Amino acid sequence: MSEAEAPAVVGLGYVVVETSRLEEWHRFGTDLLGLAPSSLKVENGFALRADERIARFIVQDTGTGAPEGIAVIGWEVAGRRRWDALPATLDEASVPYEIVTGPAAAQRGVAAYARVTDPSGYTVELCYAPVVEPIEQFVSPTGVRFVTGEQGLGHVTQTVSHYDESVDFYTRILGFHVRESIDLAIRATFAGCNSRQHSIALIDGQGVSADHHVMLEVDSIDDVGRALDKVNAGAAPATVGLGRHWNDKMISFYMETPSGFQLEYGFGGLRIDPDRWTEVRQGGRGGASLWGHTPVQSLRDAAGMKGFGAAVEA
Ligand SMILES: [Fe+2]
């Protein structure tokens, strides 16, 4: 990929969760997902690791009245040159931003970040120089290995109130490449910034924004099955049963996090060559999955299922 085409952002860096259920989140993150406690001291909370990075999830109870759920999505900016160029990019696009460094940035496990609000109201931190802890090896409490590295932490799916503006923000300003779009009963755009088939999915919420899900990928189908066994035994509410997505080929299921948004836990995601990928548009009857992914009845109409649930059922 040429320098001109390379996106400013190269992957999902971290997720900040605001919650009043810290203990529940710790149990969920470690015992069920297999994330590891971090040595990073987080004010009013804790951080969890998925790899050598010191903070992949930052879970906190700030007491500021912030709503329960995803507080921030951290997207990683590629290298110093792109970080240095970022203010000019944001200025040119008339996107207000705040540069945060020092101890406040250290609370995210990075050297610095630029905090912006996307067109649908989500707080985004464009982060630079993540702190790694390579000597203290990442050891998952459940023995899983997460697929991260060049592909970032995973992917995020958001229902967005201002769909066209959000697609424009992530693609034209931040440099994500559209990998495919759906313009049927619902509108959705899947975009990527590395070899993961998509790192962000935006669903048209027609005026409504709502956290949908974060996806974590493990390197063994058996580990997905073991997590599913725990969910079936009551570790967390299941929201969508086991299935395989048609676009990124992920074999996964979805569960409800202690904060209400969903967590997709998957294996076998498609890797693509960003230089050779041809954007596609889904036609036909529409739908998100080759098989499975049946929504769990009791949660079908929950706020987080809006739009995407309809796509699964289509
Ligand atoms: Fe997903």
Side-chain angles (χ1 to χ4, degrees):
M1 192 180 296
S2 74
E3 176 77 9
E5 290 171 331
V9 164
V10 284
L12 180 61
Y14 56 80
V15 176
V16 182
V17 175
E18 176 72 29
T19 184
S20 59
R21 306 182 182 111
L22 286 177
E23 270 182 42
E24 220 179 308
W25 254 103
H26 200 276
R27 206 164 43 240
F28 177 80
T30 56
D31 296 350
L32 182 50
L33 303 183
L35 298 164
S38 168
S39 63
L40 179 68
K41 299 279 175 277
V42 174
E43 282 172 38
N44 308 309
F46 56 87
L48 296 170
R49 294 174 62 182
D51 51 20
E52 69 174 6
R53 301 282 179 87
I54 200 167
R56 286 299 202 173
F57 276 77
I58 297 126
V59 183
Q60 56 186 20
D61 182 3
T62 60
T64 56
E68 178 87 29
I70 298 173
V72 176
I73 296 294
W75 292 105
E76 193 181 325
V77 175
R80 184 165 294 199
R81 270 206 302 167
R82 292 205 167 271
W83 170 253
D84 289 343
L86 186 65
T89 303
L90 296 173
D91 284 339
E92 198 182 322
S94 301
V95 175
Y97 60 90
E98 178 195 358
I99 301 288
V100 178
T101 58
Q107 285 285 292
R108 304 291 200 234
V110 296
Y113 63 82
R115 188 182 179 91
V116 303
T117 302
D118 82 6
S120 295
Y122 290 103
T123 302
V124 172
E125 291 173 358
L126 302 164
C127 60
Y128 164 65
V131 178
V132 297
E133 199 170 48
I135 311 300
E136 188 75 28
Q137 188 186 1
F138 165 75
V139 179
S140 165
T142 60
V144 302
R145 282 179 302 197
F146 291 98
V147 178
T148 58
E150 181 271 331
Q151 298 174 69
L153 174 61
H155 73 231
V156 173
T157 296
Q158 296 170 317
T159 300
V160 294
S161 59
H162 295 72
Y163 178 74
D164 293 316
E165 295 86 343
S166 281
V167 170
D168 186 65
F169 175 80
Y170 286 98
T171 57
R172 192 176 54 81
I173 301 173
L174 298 188
F176 283 78
H177 294 278
V178 176
R179 299 278 161 74
E180 98 252 10
S181 58
I182 302 171
D183 191 359
L184 296 167
I186 63 158
R187 292 199 298 166
T189 294
F190 296 76
C193 53
N194 54 45
S195 66
R196 191 180 287 288
Q197 195 266 348
H198 65 274
S199 292
I200 191 166
L202 304 167
I203 301 169
D204 185 357
Q206 298 177 344
V208 177
S209 287
D211 295 335
H212 197 286
H213 72 264
V214 174
M215 191 287 303
L216 295 179
E217 181 178 358
V218 291
D219 73 350
S220 159
I221 186 66
D222 294 327
D223 288 330
V224 174
R226 289 184 182 106
L228 183 56
D229 277 351
K230 289 178 185 171
V231 166
N232 288 339
T239 54
V240 178
L242 193 69
R244 186 167 212 174
H245 285 300
W246 71 266
N247 58 4
D248 66 359
K249 307 293 185 278
M250 196 74 72
I251 300 173
S252 59
F253 74 96
Y254 293 61
M255 63 194 110
E256 191 178 343
T257 67
S259 295
F261 66 88
Q262 297 176 73
L263 194 300
E264 179 184 7
Y265 204 70
F267 161 79
L270 180 66
R271 309 287 159 255
I272 64 141
D273 177 348
D275 282 337
R276 299 184 64 83
W277 182 262
T278 297
E279 177 186 330
V280 295
R281 174 164 291 207
Q282 188 183 14
R285 66 190 175 97
S289 307
L290 293 172
W291 52 266
H293 283 149
T294 306
V296 174
Q297 181 69 37
S298 62
L299 288 161
R300 189 171 289 186
D301 298 321
M305 291 294 293
K306 255 181 202 164
F308 207 55
V312 170
E313 288 171 0

